[in-house]
Amino acid sequence: MCGIVGYVGDKQAAPILLDGLKRLEYRGYDSAGIAIHNCCCTNLIKIEGKIKVLEEKLGGAYPEGHVGIGHTRWATHGRPSDVNAHPHTDCTGDFIVVHNGIIENYQELKEWLQSEGHVFKSETDTEVVPHMIEHFYDGDLFETMKKTISKLEGSFALGVISRREPGTIVAARKSSPLIAGLGEGENFIASDIPAILQHTRKVYILEDGEMVKITKDKVEVTDFEGNPVAKSIFEVKWDAVAAEKGGYPHFMLKEIHEQPRAFKDTMAGRILPEKGEIKLDDVHLSKEYLQGIKKIFIVACGTAYHAGMVGKYVIEKLTRVPVEVDIASEFRYRDPMIDKNTLVIIISQSGETADTLAALRESKKLGARVLAITNVVGSSVSREADDIIYTWAGPEIAVASTKAYSTQLIALDFIALYIARTLGRICEKDFQEITSAMKNLPDQAKIILGHEDKIKSLAQKFSDREDVFYIGRGLDYPLSLEGALKLKEISYIHAEAYAAGELKHGTLALIEEGVPVIAPVTQEHLFEKTLSNIKEVKAREGFVVALANEGNEEIKKSVDDVIYIPKTHPILTPILAVIPMQLLAYYAAVARGCDVDKPRNLAKSVTVE
Ligand code: F6R
């Protein structure tokens, strides 16, 4: 996730672009840059760090010019650095591009362009675009863009300027947000409304497959074939702060809703069904190495630890390699039994959690190979691990982790499939079954988000309670732990999760009339067993809300209410089932008037032990 902005008009472009970028910083902030045209030259300034660093570099001496594009980056391909920062240019410097998204086929395009003599400066996927424009340019930037984007796979919001056609910005959208802002004698492009809200409240919201050519007096929207599209103007009614949250009242809710998109990005280019392979660019575990592995450790904190618990189940099931999950703050103080035959998987959204980082270092010291799952390119964890899977969920601003968690689960499924495939422990049929089910996850997540009102009213029902219990078996147990953590951290309701069979070993004493119990029953082979535990709760007059797969009518008879999720492969259910858990916690916290995005006593990145 990155932010792009573009301006063409009578005013100086640089201050408008820098202001717009600051308002897009929530989309990424590891590097930034602007490119400004004036009558005789183009100035391109880019640097690692936040917009503030870019401003410091400019030192108040903004480049002059009335046309420009800008970018604030959240690294995916290529670590944060000056050279990987956007905008990117072709060999001549004539074509300048900003991009939000992932070009999935960039590797093959890069090889082709290199064979044509193009010289690349950065490690990014984006840089193929200006070189392709250079290659195809026929005197018409708009036509050249059409040709270029027809060759791109993946997601993009692109903004392009060229000194060969000064006064014009061409932009295109596929699966990454893009708007055009309509001003008086000036027009804009941007990833999101806050970037331009200072200047206009009139926008076109571009759809996938649309592109736009803007000059200071004209905004022309077409499809990718160049056929004009009649757009209606969207009048923005929100204030700037609401706009930054995309109209959502909190970042947490926005991030919950971003999961369909985040799932797509995490999976982008990684499933190769025709080859029956999982492609993980920064993972290099050979067959010989994996054959020597005696054990896998998964080490993490908090929500990431819960992801690890799901990972243990999935990896053991698919690979038959034993997996141990450990809390990072415990791991290194208990003299862990690891050596060169141990693979350690470290999970950390931020990549900076002190305990997790210490566990990574301890593992390496003991001779283990470390594979990290992280959301932040260039983080300490990503720099120090031997192998990395980025979750590509985009920046997570709310303290309570949501989209980072569900995409960590996808990454763990990829690891399980990768190892199982390399060791020949999964047959083609099972591989295809799981990977094709994975592809449905974004649409299925959207269906769950469509049940938001029902989940909200359920959350309101128990929001005044002091205790809530979660019970689940198999994969529903770590799901319950995650549901309980989410609820307690943002609503301050005391919430505890149990393996459902454990309830009768003590905790059942706490169940009395009206005590809310959330009971996921997504694991069909364990349904009857969990149902017995639900009945034990109902016999004590607890208030049970079940979370079940679509089509499970049986459960209705034994509980007070049911939230349904679409059916997927059993090992993938936690990815979907966590969404109602997140929404329950969110709406309970809202009902109690809590500061959802910044819960008391907590911080987003825990850099102390
Ligand atoms: C809870 C939450 C925390 C983090 C934990 C680890 O919603 O976000 O429990 O999961 O602090 O953080 P990372 O993943 O950044 O290492």
Side-chain angles (χ1 to χ4, degrees):
M1 200 154 118
C2 303
I4 71 170
V5 61
Y7 173 80
V8 46
D10 292 326
K11 299 185 188 131
Q12 288 298 325
I16 293 173
L17 296 180
L18 287 165
D19 179 68
L21 289 179
K22 275 189 219 151
R23 293 167 201 278
L24 291 178
E25 245 182 347
Y26 75 91
R27 302 181 60 82
Y29 41 74
D30 62 44
S31 49
I34 52 171
I36 309 285
H37 273 329
N38 61 36
C39 52
C40 43
C41 63
T42 307
N43 271 300
L44 193 160
I45 311 103
K46 53 185 193 166
I47 193 162
E48 182 181 347
K50 297 190 169 182
I51 317 296
K52 197 164 54 95
V53 181
L54 180 64
E55 279 183 324
E56 279 161 16
K57 182 174 166 131
L58 293 168
Y62 292 170
E64 297 213 347
H66 303 278
V67 185
I69 50 178
H71 189 273
T72 180
R73 183 168 187 246
W74 180 258
T76 57
H77 294 65
R79 74 203 151 82
S81 67
D82 292 358
V83 75
N84 287 335
H86 295 218
H88 288 286
T89 64
D90 67 312
C91 302
T92 63
D94 280 357
F95 303 102
I96 307 180
V97 173
V98 287
H99 168 220
N100 164 215
I102 297 169
I103 308 293
E104 287 172 23
N105 59 337
Y106 82 101
Q107 203 57 268
E108 72 196 62
L109 291 169
K110 187 168 177 176
E111 280 160 25
W112 161 63
L113 288 158
Q114 281 170 329
S115 74
E116 295 281 327
H118 292 259
V119 178
F120 281 74
K121 299 175 277 296
S122 76
E123 304 156 309
T124 63
D125 52 335
T126 304
E127 200 187 335
V128 296
V129 179
H131 289 285
M132 287 170 79
I133 297 173
E134 178 191 3
H135 180 85
F136 291 129
Y137 189 67
D138 58 1
D140 185 330
L141 185 60
F142 185 80
E143 289 301 318
T144 306
M145 266 292 273
K146 267 169 53 190
K147 200 176 234 171
T148 302
I149 58 184
S150 71
K151 310 256 180 276
L152 302 179
E153 287 168 22
S155 58
F156 51 79
L158 289 162
V160 183
I161 54 173
S162 170
R163 64 181 165 218
R164 304 222 203 155
E165 295 180 37
T168 300
I169 302 177
V170 179
R173 168 189 169 145
K174 185 185 159 211
S175 304
S176 293
L178 183 66
I179 58 160
L182 317 174
E184 298 285 322
E186 59 183 6
N187 288 305
F188 310 79
I189 57 153
S191 297
D192 200 356
I193 291 166
I196 56 167
L197 203 52
Q198 301 282 87
H199 311 284
T200 179
R201 290 189 165 265
K202 290 193 171 91
V203 299
Y204 287 153
I205 298 179
L206 270 73
E207 301 295 334
D208 282 351
E210 290 179 353
M211 52 196 292
V212 62
K213 177 177 173 181
I214 69 167
T215 59
K216 82 186 181 66
D217 300 312
K218 215 168 175 188
V219 176
E220 294 166 84
V221 181
T222 72
D223 64 18
F224 283 179
E225 266 74 55
N227 304 307
V229 176
K231 301 288 291 180
S232 42
I233 294 175
F234 177 72
E235 285 267 1
V236 184
K237 304 259 180 340
W238 316 314
D239 64 18
V241 176
E244 198 167 294
K245 293 176 186 155
Y248 291 100
H250 297 100
F251 278 109
M252 183 178 173
L253 189 60
K254 177 167 182 270
E255 287 159 9
I256 290 172
H257 277 263
E258 278 171 357
Q259 287 175 109
R261 198 266 316 141
F263 292 1
K264 267 193 197 155
D265 284 352
T266 308
M267 290 191 274
R270 286 172 164 170
I271 302 173
L272 307 180
E274 62 295 345
K275 291 193 183 165
E277 267 176 30
I278 296 297
K279 183 168 163 271
L280 301 172
D281 285 340
D282 300 308
V283 176
H284 309 282
L285 306 176
S286 67
K287 187 169 182 177
E288 295 65 48
Y289 168 76
L290 288 171
Q291 278 167 338
I293 288 296
K294 301 274 178 291
K295 193 166 202 176
I296 296 175
F297 269 85
I298 304 181
V299 188
C301 298
T303 283
Y305 170 74
H306 297 155
M309 290 178 75
V310 175
K312 169 186 165 70
Y313 181 98
V314 176
I315 295 171
E316 285 186 342
K317 183 142 191 86
L318 298 189
T319 69
R320 307 314 294 157
V321 179
V323 181
E324 201 166 319
V325 195
D326 220 333
I327 294 170
S329 54
E330 293 292 319
F331 176 75
R332 78 197 152 112
Y333 298 113
R334 66 174 182 85
D335 197 8
M337 294 190 352
I338 60 175
D339 57 22
K340 66 178 178 32
N341 296 322
T342 318
L343 172 65
V344 174
I345 300 175
I346 291 284
I347 311 175
S348 175
Q349 186 284 130
S350 61
E352 301 295 347
T353 300
D355 286 317
T356 311
L357 197 53
L360 182 158
R361 289 176 182 153
E362 180 71 9
S363 306
K364 289 191 81 165
K365 205 168 86 193
L366 294 169
R369 189 176 177 120
V370 174
L371 189 169
I373 297 175
T374 182
N375 195 30
V376 183
V377 180
S379 59
S380 303
V381 160
S382 79
R383 287 199 309 271
E384 296 188 31
D386 300 296
D387 304 275
I388 314 157
I389 303 184
Y390 293 111
T391 41
W392 292 340
E396 200 176 57
I397 312 271
V399 164
S401 190
T402 53
K403 60 179 180 170
Y405 173 76
S406 47
T407 54
Q408 283 162 0
L409 298 184
I410 295 177
L412 285 157
D413 291 333
F414 281 149
I415 294 174
L417 288 165
Y418 177 98
I419 298 177
R421 210 60 187 141
T422 311
L423 293 177
R425 296 192 184 157
I426 183 170
C427 66
E428 182 68 26
K429 181 176 155 288
D430 288 352
F431 180 88
Q432 295 296 349
E433 221 171 271
I434 298 171
T435 51
S436 53
M438 288 181 97
K439 288 187 186 152
N440 294 330
L441 291 170
D443 286 338
Q444 292 179 317
K446 281 188 197 156
I447 293 173
I448 298 171
L449 292 167
H451 302 323
E452 191 167 353
D453 285 344
K454 175 183 174 138
I455 300 171
K456 180 177 176 179
S457 69
L458 281 170
Q460 284 164 346
K461 274 190 195 157
F462 67 73
S463 61
D464 59 345
R465 303 296 303 209
E466 286 313 307
D467 308 286
V468 175
F469 294 91
Y470 290 69
I471 54 169
R473 284 176 185 257
L475 281 173
D476 287 333
Y477 173 47
L479 172 69
S480 298
L481 286 166
E482 177 55 11
L485 176 61
K486 253 357 34 131
L487 184 68
K488 67 186 130 191
E489 75 175 313
I490 58 168
S491 75
Y492 319 141
I493 296 174
H494 167 235
E496 276 192 69
Y498 290 92
E502 274 293 291
L503 207 60
K504 57 186 169 298
H505 297 288
T507 312
L508 201 55
L510 294 174
I511 306 295
E512 54 186 357
E513 190 185 343
V515 170
V517 176
I518 315 292
V521 288
T522 69
Q523 301 300 300
E524 283 171 12
H525 64 296
L526 297 168
F527 177 64
E528 294 301 333
K529 301 278 171 211
T530 312
L531 193 58
S532 313
N533 305 128
I534 288 173
K535 286 184 173 155
E536 288 156 15
V537 172
K538 279 310 302 169
R540 275 97 193 154
E541 296 183 60
F543 177 81
V544 180
V545 176
L547 186 61
N549 295 321
E550 203 69 68
N552 183 342
E553 294 298 317
E554 174 74 18
I555 187 69
K556 278 187 184 161
K557 296 179 209 152
S558 308
V559 297
D560 296 279
D561 217 326
V562 190
I563 301 169
Y564 282 108
I565 59 165
K567 228 171 154 181
T568 180
H569 191 284
I571 66 164
L572 306 178
T573 46
I575 301 166
L576 296 177
V578 77
I579 300 173
M581 296 291 196
Q582 297 164 347
L583 288 169
L584 278 173
Y586 172 78
Y587 281 112
V590 170
R592 288 165 74 95
C594 299
D595 185 353
V596 174
D597 284 338
K598 292 199 180 78
R600 68 188 181 204
N601 309 339
L602 298 176
K604 184 69 186 159
S605 192
V606 185
T607 52
V608 291
E609 285 190 32

